[in-house]
Amino acid sequence: MNIDPQDAQAHREARLACMRRDYLESILDDLDQLKKELASVETAESGYRRKVHSIRGSGGAYGFPDISLRAGEAEDAFLAGAGNDELVEHLEVLEGTVRQAREEFLATFDG
């Protein structure tokens, strides 16, 4: 059984597109959860840094460098001792960047 290289490539591209779409959706869920957590505690927990650090690293790997940039700004604010209100503002900017990336991605996604 021979596999057509073009079919194999199309299959890989479709799987990657699905992974990228799922990645963007999962970030939005994570950001929503982080904002809820920040609203209910006096100071940000290390979970904030862990999550934005993860997004900072994975954004570029998934082909979304602007997401990495905004997540880096959110992480840097945490490390600089920003208060919860400022951290929420950073999450909202990051969320806007993710939503924009999702819209642009979905506009070109055929699957």
Side-chain angles (χ1 to χ4, degrees), residues 14 17-18 21 106 108-111:
C18 288
R21 181 197 61 218
L106 292 177
T108 62
F109 180 59
D110 295 328

Side-chain angles (χ1 to χ4, degrees), residues 83-95:
N84 286 6
D85 290 342
E86 184 179 345
L87 295 177
V88 168
E89 289 176 16
H90 280 280
L91 290 179
E92 289 171 350
V93 169
L94 176 55
E95 180 180 20

Side-chain angles (χ1 to χ4, degrees), residues 7-8 25 27 39-40 45 53 59 70 89 96-97 99-100:
D7 288 344
E25 294 300 326
I27 291 176
S40 67
E45 300 295 329
H53 180 79
R70 297 296 174 238
E89 289 176 16
T97 302
R99 289 187 184 284
Q100 180 179 350

Side-chain angles (χ1 to χ4, degrees), residues 5-92:
Q6 288 180 332
D7 288 344
Q9 180 65 24
H11 179 71
R12 282 191 297 275
E13 288 174 6
R15 288 192 60 190
L16 179 58
C18 288
M19 289 171 54
R20 292 178 77 204
R21 181 197 61 218
D22 293 346
Y23 171 74
L24 292 169
E25 294 300 326
S26 73
I27 291 176
L28 291 172
D29 292 341
D30 290 343
L31 295 177
D32 186 51
Q33 184 63 35
L34 282 174
K35 285 193 286 188
K36 288 177 184 174
E37 289 173 11
L38 285 173
S40 67
V41 295
E42 288 285 320
T43 59
E45 300 295 329
S46 63
Y48 176 95
R49 178 173 185 230
R50 204 171 26 252
K51 179 48 68 180
V52 295
H53 180 79
S54 175
I55 295 169
R56 182 182 204 170
S58 61
Y62 278 93
F64 302 107
D66 289 344
I67 290 174
S68 289
L69 177 67
R70 297 296 174 238
E73 292 170 352
E75 182 181 17
D76 292 346
F78 176 85
L79 294 173
N84 286 6
D85 290 342
E86 184 179 345
L87 295 177
V88 168
E89 289 176 16
H90 280 280
L91 290 179
E92 289 171 350

